[in-house]
Amino acid sequence: MTDELEIVRTILKSARTASVTTQTASGALHSRPLAVLEDDFAGTLWFFTADPSSKTADLAAHPQVNVSVGDGKGWLSLSGLATISRDQERIDRYWNPWAAAYFEGGRDDPAVALLQVDVSSIHYWDLDKPAIVTAFEVAKGLLTRPAPDVGDDGVIQLH
């Protein structure tokens, strides 16, 4: 699993934005782009969020979320439970100019919070081939009908 987690860490470090999907109280799915915060992934993802917001209201009703991340060389689908954190030490550690643009009162704005996602499972696709090779594999698949071999995929269960 160490090699698989390295694939996950590599994709997370190169991605700038994740799509976080929550479920509303009525059951509708709602995805939002959130900036990926730098960290050495060990099972928890962190994002800045405003609280209160429609996102935090969704989480109060349904804390299960999905986070999808892609970087051009790989893609992740991470599922887990989300909670809201107001850990000031962690807020200070992650604070950056992007976060400052969203919170008028800076890091001490009462709406500043962190969305903490404790990941339980990860489905990953590691597209380990150059784009030209991937294009060739897809073209070959169209002609010969076997599925193109463009990389590896797998599932990691953390909990």
Coordinates of all heavy atoms in Angstrom, one line a residue, residues 20-104:
V20 N -15.3 18.9 -4.4 CA -15.8 18.3 -3.2 C -17.4 18.2 -3.4 O -18.0 19.2 -3.6 CB -15.5 19.1 -2.0 CG1 -16.1 18.5 -0.7 CG2 -14.0 19.2 -1.8
T21 N -17.9 17.0 -3.3 CA -19.3 16.8 -3.5 C -20.0 16.5 -2.2 O -19.5 15.5 -1.4 CB -19.5 15.6 -4.5 OG1 -18.9 15.9 -5.7 CG2 -21.0 15.4 -4.7
T22 N -21.0 17.3 -1.8 CA -21.8 17.1 -0.6 C -23.2 16.7 -1.1 O -23.6 16.8 -2.2 CB -21.8 18.3 0.2 OG1 -22.4 19.4 -0.6 CG2 -20.4 18.7 0.7
Q23 N -24.0 16.3 -0.1 CA -25.4 16.0 -0.3 C -26.2 16.9 0.5 O -26.0 17.1 1.7 CB -25.7 14.5 0.1 CG -27.1 14.1 -0.2 CD -27.3 12.6 0.1 OE1 -26.5 12.0 0.7 NE2 -28.5 12.1 -0.3
T24 N -27.2 17.6 -0.2 CA -28.0 18.6 0.5 C -29.0 17.8 1.4 O -29.2 16.6 1.3 CB -28.8 19.4 -0.5 OG1 -29.7 18.6 -1.2 CG2 -27.9 20.1 -1.5
A25 N -29.7 18.6 2.2 CA -30.7 18.0 3.1 C -31.8 17.3 2.3 O -32.4 16.3 2.8 CB -31.3 19.0 4.0
S26 N -32.1 17.7 1.1 CA -33.1 17.1 0.3 C -32.6 15.9 -0.5 O -33.4 15.3 -1.2 CB -33.7 18.1 -0.7 OG -32.8 18.5 -1.6
G27 N -31.3 15.7 -0.4 CA -30.7 14.5 -1.1 C -30.0 14.8 -2.4 O -29.3 14.0 -3.0
A28 N -30.0 16.1 -2.9 CA -29.4 16.5 -4.1 C -27.8 16.5 -3.9 O -27.4 16.9 -2.8 CB -29.9 17.8 -4.6
L29 N -27.1 16.1 -4.9 CA -25.6 16.2 -4.9 C -25.2 17.6 -5.4 O -25.7 18.1 -6.3 CB -25.0 15.1 -5.7 CG -25.3 13.7 -5.3 CD1 -24.7 12.7 -6.3 CD2 -24.8 13.4 -3.9
H30 N -24.2 18.2 -4.7 CA -23.7 19.5 -5.0 C -22.2 19.4 -5.0 O -21.6 19.2 -3.9 CB -24.2 20.5 -4.1 CG -24.0 21.9 -4.5 ND1 -24.5 23.0 -3.8 CD2 -23.3 22.5 -5.5 CE1 -24.1 24.1 -4.4 NE2 -23.4 23.8 -5.4
S31 N -21.5 19.7 -6.1 CA -20.0 19.7 -6.1 C -19.5 21.2 -6.2 O -20.1 22.0 -6.9 CB -19.5 19.0 -7.4 OG -19.9 17.6 -7.3
R32 N -18.4 21.4 -5.5 CA -17.8 22.7 -5.5 C -16.3 22.6 -5.6 O -15.7 21.7 -5.0 CB -18.1 23.4 -4.1 CG -19.6 23.6 -3.8 CD -19.7 23.9 -2.3 NE -21.0 24.1 -1.9 CZ -21.8 23.1 -1.5 NH1 -21.4 21.9 -1.4 NH2 -23.1 23.4 -1.1
P33 N -15.7 23.5 -6.3 CA -14.2 23.5 -6.4 C -13.6 24.1 -5.1 O -14.1 25.2 -4.6 CB -13.9 24.4 -7.6 CG -15.1 25.3 -7.7 CD -16.3 24.6 -7.1
L34 N -12.7 23.4 -4.5 CA -11.9 24.0 -3.3 C -10.5 23.8 -3.6 O -10.0 22.7 -4.1 CB -12.4 23.2 -2.1 CG -13.8 23.4 -1.6 CD1 -14.1 22.6 -0.4 CD2 -14.1 24.9 -1.3
A35 N -9.7 24.7 -3.1 CA -8.2 24.6 -3.2 C -7.7 23.5 -2.3 O -8.0 23.4 -1.2 CB -7.6 26.0 -2.9
V36 N -6.8 22.7 -2.9 CA -6.1 21.6 -2.2 C -5.0 22.3 -1.3 O -4.2 23.0 -1.8 CB -5.5 20.6 -3.1 CG1 -4.7 19.6 -2.4 CG2 -6.5 20.0 -4.0
L37 N -5.1 22.0 0.0 CA -4.1 22.6 0.9 C -2.9 21.7 1.0 O -3.0 20.4 1.0 CB -4.7 22.8 2.3 CG -5.8 23.9 2.3 CD1 -6.4 24.0 3.7 CD2 -5.3 25.2 1.9
E38 N -1.7 22.2 0.9 CA -0.5 21.4 1.0 C -0.4 20.6 2.2 O -0.6 21.2 3.3 CB 0.8 22.3 0.8 CG 0.9 23.0 -0.5 CD 1.1 22.0 -1.6 OE1 1.9 21.1 -1.5 OE2 0.6 22.3 -2.7
D39 N -0.1 19.4 2.1 CA 0.1 18.5 3.3 C 0.7 17.2 2.7 O 0.5 16.9 1.6 CB -1.2 18.2 4.0 CG -1.1 17.9 5.4 OD1 0.1 17.7 5.9 OD2 -2.1 17.9 6.1
D40 N 1.3 16.4 3.6 CA 1.8 15.1 3.2 C 0.7 14.1 3.6 O 0.6 13.7 4.8 CB 3.1 14.8 4.0 CG 3.8 13.6 3.4 OD1 3.5 13.2 2.3 OD2 4.6 13.0 4.1
F41 N -0.2 13.8 2.7 CA -1.4 13.1 2.9 C -1.1 11.8 3.7 O -0.3 11.0 3.3 CB -2.1 12.7 1.6 CG -3.3 11.9 1.7 CD1 -4.5 12.5 2.2 CD2 -3.3 10.6 1.5 CE1 -5.6 11.7 2.3 CE2 -4.4 9.8 1.6 CZ -5.6 10.4 2.0
A42 N -1.9 11.6 4.8 CA -1.8 10.4 5.6 C -3.2 9.9 6.0 O -3.4 9.2 6.9 CB -1.0 10.7 6.9
G43 N -4.2 10.4 5.2 CA -5.5 9.9 5.4 C -6.5 11.0 5.6 O -7.7 10.8 5.7
T44 N -6.1 12.3 5.8 CA -7.0 13.4 6.0 C -6.7 14.5 5.0 O -5.5 14.8 4.7 CB -6.8 14.0 7.4 OG1 -7.0 12.9 8.3 CG2 -7.8 15.1 7.7
L45 N -7.7 15.1 4.4 CA -7.6 16.2 3.5 C -8.2 17.5 4.2 O -9.1 17.4 5.0 CB -8.5 16.0 2.2 CG -8.0 14.9 1.3 CD1 -9.1 14.6 0.2 CD2 -6.7 15.2 0.7
W46 N -7.6 18.6 3.8 CA -8.0 19.9 4.5 C -8.3 20.9 3.4 O -7.6 21.0 2.4 CB -6.9 20.4 5.4 CG -6.6 19.5 6.5 CD1 -5.6 18.5 6.5 CD2 -7.2 19.5 7.8 NE1 -5.6 17.9 7.7 CE2 -6.6 18.5 8.5 CE3 -8.2 20.3 8.4 CZ2 -7.0 18.2 9.8 CZ3 -8.6 20.0 9.7 CH2 -7.9 19.0 10.4
F47 N -9.4 21.7 3.6 CA -9.8 22.8 2.7 C -10.3 23.9 3.6 O -10.9 23.7 4.6 CB -10.9 22.3 1.8 CG -10.6 21.1 1.0 CD1 -11.0 19.9 1.5 CD2 -10.0 21.2 -0.2 CE1 -10.8 18.7 0.8 CE2 -9.8 20.0 -1.0 CZ -10.1 18.8 -0.4
F48 N -10.0 25.2 3.1 CA -10.7 26.3 3.8 C -12.1 26.4 3.3 O -12.5 26.0 2.2 CB -10.0 27.6 3.4 CG -8.8 27.9 4.2 CD1 -7.5 27.8 3.7 CD2 -8.9 28.3 5.5 CE1 -6.4 28.1 4.4 CE2 -7.8 28.6 6.3 CZ -6.5 28.4 5.8
T49 N -13.0 26.8 4.3 CA -14.4 27.0 4.0 C -15.0 28.0 4.9 O -14.4 28.3 5.9 CB -15.2 25.6 4.2 OG1 -16.5 25.8 3.7 CG2 -15.2 25.2 5.6
A50 N -16.0 28.6 4.5 CA -16.7 29.6 5.3 C -17.8 28.8 6.1 O -18.4 27.9 5.6 CB -17.4 30.6 4.5
D51 N -17.9 29.2 7.4 CA -18.9 28.6 8.2 C -19.6 29.7 9.0 O -18.9 30.4 9.8 CB -18.3 27.5 9.2 CG -19.3 26.9 10.1 OD1 -20.5 26.7 9.6 OD2 -19.0 26.5 11.2
P52 N -20.9 29.9 8.9 CA -21.8 29.1 8.2 C -21.8 29.3 6.7 O -21.5 30.4 6.2 CB -23.2 29.5 8.8 CG -22.9 31.0 9.2 CD -21.5 31.1 9.6
S53 N -22.3 28.3 6.0 CA -22.4 28.4 4.5 C -23.4 27.2 4.1 O -23.7 26.3 4.9 CB -21.1 28.2 3.8 OG -20.6 26.9 4.0
S54 N -23.8 27.2 2.8 CA -24.6 26.1 2.4 C -23.8 24.8 2.4 O -24.4 23.7 2.7 CB -25.1 26.4 0.9 OG -24.0 26.6 0.1
K55 N -22.5 24.9 2.2 CA -21.7 23.6 2.3 C -21.7 23.1 3.7 O -21.9 21.8 3.9 CB -20.3 24.0 1.9 CG -19.3 22.8 1.9 CD -17.9 23.2 1.5 CE -17.7 24.4 0.6 NZ -17.3 25.6 1.2
T56 N -21.6 23.9 4.7 CA -21.6 23.4 6.1 C -23.0 22.9 6.5 O -23.1 22.0 7.3 CB -21.0 24.4 7.1 OG1 -21.7 25.6 7.0 CG2 -19.5 24.7 6.8
A57 N -24.0 23.5 5.9 CA -25.4 23.1 6.2 C -25.5 21.7 5.6 O -26.1 20.8 6.2 CB -26.4 24.0 5.6
D58 N -25.0 21.5 4.4 CA -25.1 20.1 3.8 C -24.4 19.1 4.7 O -24.9 18.0 4.9 CB -24.3 20.1 2.4 CG -25.1 20.9 1.3 OD1 -26.2 21.3 1.6 OD2 -24.5 21.0 0.2
L59 N -23.2 19.4 5.2 CA -22.5 18.5 6.0 C -23.2 18.2 7.3 O -23.0 17.1 7.9 CB -21.1 19.1 6.3 CG -20.2 19.2 5.1 CD1 -18.9 19.9 5.5 CD2 -19.9 17.9 4.4
A60 N -23.9 19.1 7.9 CA -24.7 18.9 9.1 C -25.7 17.8 8.8 O -26.0 17.0 9.7 CB -25.3 20.1 9.6
A61 N -26.3 17.8 7.6 CA -27.3 16.8 7.3 C -26.7 15.5 6.8 O -27.2 14.4 7.2 CB -28.2 17.3 6.2
H62 N -25.6 15.5 6.1 CA -25.0 14.4 5.5 C -23.5 14.6 5.5 O -23.0 15.2 4.6 CB -25.5 14.1 4.1 CG -26.9 13.9 3.9 ND1 -27.6 12.7 4.3 CD2 -27.9 14.7 3.5 CE1 -28.9 12.9 4.0 NE2 -29.1 14.1 3.6
P63 N -22.8 14.0 6.5 CA -21.3 14.3 6.5 C -20.5 13.5 5.5 O -19.3 13.8 5.3 CB -20.9 13.9 7.9 CG -22.0 13.0 8.4 CD -23.2 13.4 7.6
Q64 N -21.1 12.5 4.8 CA -20.3 11.7 3.8 C -20.1 12.6 2.6 O -21.0 13.2 2.1 CB -21.1 10.5 3.5 CG -20.4 9.5 2.6 CD -19.3 8.7 3.3 OE1 -19.3 8.5 4.5 NE2 -18.2 8.4 2.5
V65 N -18.8 12.6 2.1 CA -18.5 13.4 1.0 C -17.6 12.6 0.0 O -17.1 11.6 0.4 CB -17.7 14.7 1.3 CG1 -18.5 15.6 2.2 CG2 -16.4 14.4 2.0
N66 N -17.5 13.1 -1.2 CA -16.6 12.6 -2.2 C -15.7 13.8 -2.7 O -16.2 14.9 -2.9 CB -17.3 12.0 -3.4 CG -16.3 11.4 -4.4 OD1 -15.9 12.1 -5.3 ND2 -15.8 10.2 -4.1
V67 N -14.4 13.5 -2.8 CA -13.5 14.5 -3.3 C -12.8 13.9 -4.5 O -12.2 12.8 -4.5 CB -12.4 14.8 -2.2 CG1 -11.4 15.8 -2.7 CG2 -13.0 15.3 -0.9
S68 N -12.9 14.6 -5.6 CA -12.2 14.2 -6.8 C -11.1 15.2 -7.2 O -11.3 16.4 -7.1 CB -13.2 14.0 -8.0 OG -13.9 15.2 -8.3
V69 N -10.0 14.6 -7.6 CA -8.8 15.4 -7.9 C -8.2 14.8 -9.2 O -8.0 13.6 -9.3 CB -7.8 15.3 -6.8 CG1 -6.5 16.1 -7.1 CG2 -8.4 15.8 -5.5
G70 N -7.8 15.7 -10.1 CA -7.1 15.2 -11.3 C -5.9 16.2 -11.6 O -6.0 17.4 -11.4
D71 N -4.8 15.6 -12.1 CA -3.7 16.5 -12.4 C -3.2 16.3 -13.9 O -2.1 16.8 -14.2 CB -2.6 16.3 -11.4 CG -1.8 15.0 -11.7 OD1 -2.3 14.1 -12.4 OD2 -0.7 14.9 -11.2
G72 N -3.9 15.6 -14.7 CA -3.4 15.3 -16.1 C -2.6 14.0 -16.2 O -2.6 13.4 -17.2
K73 N -2.0 13.6 -15.1 CA -1.3 12.3 -15.1 C -2.0 11.3 -14.2 O -1.5 10.2 -14.0 CB 0.1 12.5 -14.7 CG 0.9 13.3 -15.7 CD 2.4 13.3 -15.4 CE 3.1 14.0 -16.5 NZ 4.5 13.8 -16.5
G74 N -3.0 11.7 -13.5 CA -3.7 10.8 -12.6 C -5.0 11.4 -12.1 O -5.2 12.6 -12.3
W75 N -5.8 10.6 -11.5 CA -7.1 11.1 -11.0 C -7.4 10.3 -9.8 O -7.1 9.1 -9.6 CB -8.1 10.8 -12.1 CG -9.5 11.4 -11.8 CD1 -9.9 12.7 -11.9 CD2 -10.6 10.7 -11.2 NE1 -11.2 12.8 -11.5 CE2 -11.7 11.6 -11.1 CE3 -10.8 9.3 -10.9 CZ2 -12.9 11.2 -10.6 CZ3 -12.0 9.0 -10.4 CH2 -13.1 9.9 -10.2
L76 N -8.0 11.0 -8.8 CA -8.4 10.3 -7.5 C -9.9 10.6 -7.2 O -10.4 11.7 -7.5 CB -7.6 11.0 -6.4 CG -6.1 11.0 -6.4 CD1 -5.5 11.8 -5.3 CD2 -5.6 9.6 -6.4
S77 N -10.5 9.6 -6.6 CA -11.8 9.7 -6.1 C -11.7 9.3 -4.6 O -11.5 8.1 -4.4 CB -12.8 8.8 -6.9 OG -14.1 8.9 -6.2
L78 N -11.8 10.2 -3.7 CA -11.6 9.9 -2.3 C -13.0 10.1 -1.6 O -13.6 11.1 -1.7 CB -10.6 10.9 -1.7 CG -9.3 11.0 -2.4 CD1 -9.2 12.2 -3.2 CD2 -8.1 10.9 -1.4
S79 N -13.4 9.1 -0.8 CA -14.6 9.1 -0.1 C -14.3 9.2 1.4 O -13.4 8.5 1.9 CB -15.5 7.9 -0.4 OG -15.8 7.9 -1.7
G80 N -15.1 9.9 2.2 CA -14.9 9.9 3.6 C -15.9 10.8 4.3 O -16.9 11.3 3.7
L81 N -15.7 11.0 5.6 CA -16.5 11.8 6.4 C -15.9 13.2 6.6 O -14.7 13.3 6.9 CB -16.7 11.2 7.8 CG -17.6 9.9 7.8 CD1 -17.7 9.3 9.2 CD2 -19.0 10.2 7.3
A82 N -16.7 14.2 6.5 CA -16.3 15.6 6.6 C -16.8 16.2 7.9 O -17.9 15.9 8.4 CB -16.8 16.4 5.5
T83 N -15.9 17.0 8.5 CA -16.3 17.8 9.7 C -15.7 19.2 9.6 O -14.8 19.4 8.7 CB -15.7 17.1 11.0 OG1 -14.3 17.0 10.9 CG2 -16.3 15.8 11.3
I84 N -16.2 20.1 10.4 CA -15.7 21.5 10.3 C -14.7 21.6 11.5 O -15.1 21.3 12.7 CB -16.8 22.5 10.4 CG1 -17.8 22.3 9.2 CG2 -16.3 23.9 10.5 CD1 -17.1 22.4 7.9
S85 N -13.6 22.2 11.2 CA -12.6 22.5 12.3 C -12.3 24.0 12.4 O -12.2 24.6 11.4 CB -11.3 21.7 12.0 OG -10.2 22.1 12.8
R86 N -12.1 24.4 13.6 CA -11.7 25.8 13.8 C -10.3 25.8 14.5 O -10.0 26.8 15.2 CB -12.7 26.6 14.6 CG -14.0 26.7 13.8 CD -14.9 27.8 14.4 NE -16.2 27.9 13.7 CZ -16.3 28.7 12.7 NH1 -15.3 29.5 12.2 NH2 -17.5 28.8 12.1
D87 N -9.5 24.8 14.3 CA -8.2 24.7 14.9 C -7.3 25.9 14.4 O -6.9 25.9 13.3 CB -7.6 23.4 14.5 CG -6.2 23.1 15.1 OD1 -5.5 24.1 15.4 OD2 -5.8 22.0 15.1
Q88 N -7.1 26.8 15.3 CA -6.4 28.1 14.9 C -5.0 27.8 14.5 O -4.4 28.4 13.5 CB -6.4 29.1 16.0 CG -6.0 30.5 15.5 CD -6.9 31.1 14.4 OE1 -8.1 31.1 14.6 NE2 -6.3 31.6 13.4
E89 N -4.3 26.8 15.1 CA -2.9 26.5 14.7 C -2.9 26.0 13.3 O -2.0 26.3 12.5 CB -2.4 25.4 15.7 CG -0.9 25.0 15.4 CD -0.5 24.0 16.4 OE1 -0.7 24.2 17.6 OE2 0.2 23.0 15.9
R90 N -3.8 25.1 12.9 CA -3.9 24.6 11.6 C -4.3 25.7 10.6 O -3.8 25.7 9.5 CB -4.8 23.4 11.5 CG -4.7 22.5 10.3 CD -5.5 21.3 10.4 NE -5.1 20.3 11.3 CZ -4.1 19.4 11.2 NH1 -3.4 19.4 10.0 NH2 -3.8 18.6 12.1
I91 N -5.2 26.5 10.9 CA -5.6 27.7 10.1 C -4.4 28.5 9.8 O -4.1 28.9 8.6 CB -6.8 28.5 10.7 CG1 -8.1 27.7 10.7 CG2 -6.9 29.8 10.0 CD1 -9.2 28.3 11.5
D92 N -3.6 28.8 10.8 CA -2.4 29.6 10.6 C -1.4 28.9 9.7 O -0.8 29.5 8.9 CB -1.7 29.9 12.0 CG -2.6 30.9 12.8 OD1 -3.4 31.6 12.3 OD2 -2.3 30.9 14.1
R93 N -1.3 27.6 9.9 CA -0.3 26.8 9.1 C -0.7 26.9 7.6 O 0.2 27.0 6.7 CB -0.2 25.4 9.6 CG 0.7 24.6 8.7 CD 0.9 23.1 9.1 NE 0.3 22.7 10.3 CZ -0.1 21.4 10.5 NH1 0.0 20.5 9.6 NH2 -0.7 21.1 11.6
Y94 N -2.0 26.7 7.3 CA -2.4 26.7 5.9 C -2.8 28.0 5.3 O -3.0 28.1 4.1 CB -3.7 25.8 5.8 CG -3.4 24.3 6.1 CD1 -4.3 23.6 6.9 CD2 -2.3 23.7 5.5 CE1 -4.1 22.2 7.1 CE2 -2.1 22.3 5.7 CZ -3.0 21.6 6.5 OH -2.8 20.3 6.7
W95 N -2.8 29.1 6.1 CA -3.2 30.4 5.6 C -2.4 30.8 4.4 O -1.1 30.6 4.4 CB -3.1 31.5 6.7 CG -3.8 32.7 6.3 CD1 -3.3 33.9 5.8 CD2 -5.3 32.9 6.2 NE1 -4.3 34.8 5.5 CE2 -5.5 34.2 5.7 CE3 -6.3 32.1 6.5 CZ2 -6.8 34.7 5.6 CZ3 -7.6 32.6 6.3 CH2 -7.8 33.9 5.9
N96 N -3.0 31.3 3.3 CA -2.3 31.7 2.1 C -3.1 32.8 1.4 O -4.2 33.2 1.8 CB -2.2 30.5 1.2 CG -3.5 29.9 0.8 OD1 -4.3 30.6 0.1 ND2 -3.8 28.7 1.2
P97 N -2.5 33.5 0.4 CA -3.1 34.6 -0.3 C -4.5 34.2 -0.9 O -5.4 35.1 -0.9 CB -2.1 35.0 -1.4 CG -0.8 34.5 -0.9 CD -1.1 33.3 -0.1
W98 N -4.7 33.0 -1.3 CA -6.0 32.6 -1.9 C -7.0 32.6 -0.8 O -8.1 33.1 -1.0 CB -5.9 31.2 -2.5 CG -5.1 31.2 -3.7 CD1 -3.8 30.8 -3.9 CD2 -5.5 31.6 -5.0 NE1 -3.3 30.9 -5.1 CE2 -4.4 31.4 -5.9 CE3 -6.7 32.1 -5.6 CZ2 -4.4 31.7 -7.2 CZ3 -6.7 32.3 -6.9 CH2 -5.6 32.2 -7.7
A99 N -6.7 32.1 0.4 CA -7.7 32.1 1.5 C -8.0 33.6 1.9 O -9.1 33.9 2.1 CB -7.1 31.3 2.7
A100 N -6.9 34.4 1.9 CA -7.1 35.8 2.3 C -8.1 36.5 1.4 O -8.8 37.4 1.8 CB -5.8 36.5 2.3
A101 N -8.1 36.1 0.1 CA -9.0 36.8 -0.8 C -10.5 36.5 -0.5 O -11.4 37.3 -0.9 CB -8.7 36.3 -2.2
Y102 N -10.8 35.4 0.2 CA -12.1 35.0 0.4 C -12.7 35.4 1.8 O -13.9 35.4 2.0 CB -12.3 33.5 0.3 CG -12.3 33.0 -1.1 CD1 -11.1 32.6 -1.7 CD2 -13.5 32.9 -1.8 CE1 -11.1 32.1 -3.0 CE2 -13.5 32.5 -3.1 CZ -12.3 32.1 -3.7 OH -12.3 31.7 -5.0
F103 N -11.8 35.8 2.7 CA -12.2 36.2 4.0 C -11.8 37.6 4.3 O -10.7 37.9 4.5 CB -11.6 35.2 5.1 CG -12.1 33.8 4.9 CD1 -11.3 32.9 4.2 CD2 -13.4 33.4 5.3 CE1 -11.8 31.6 4.0 CE2 -13.8 32.1 5.2 CZ -13.0 31.2 4.5
E104 N -12.8 38.5 4.3 CA -12.6 39.9 4.5 C -11.9 40.3 5.8 O -11.0 41.2 5.8 CB -14.0 40.7 4.5 CG -13.9 42.1 4.4 CD -15.3 42.8 4.3 OE1 -16.0 42.4 3.4 OE2 -15.6 43.6 5.2

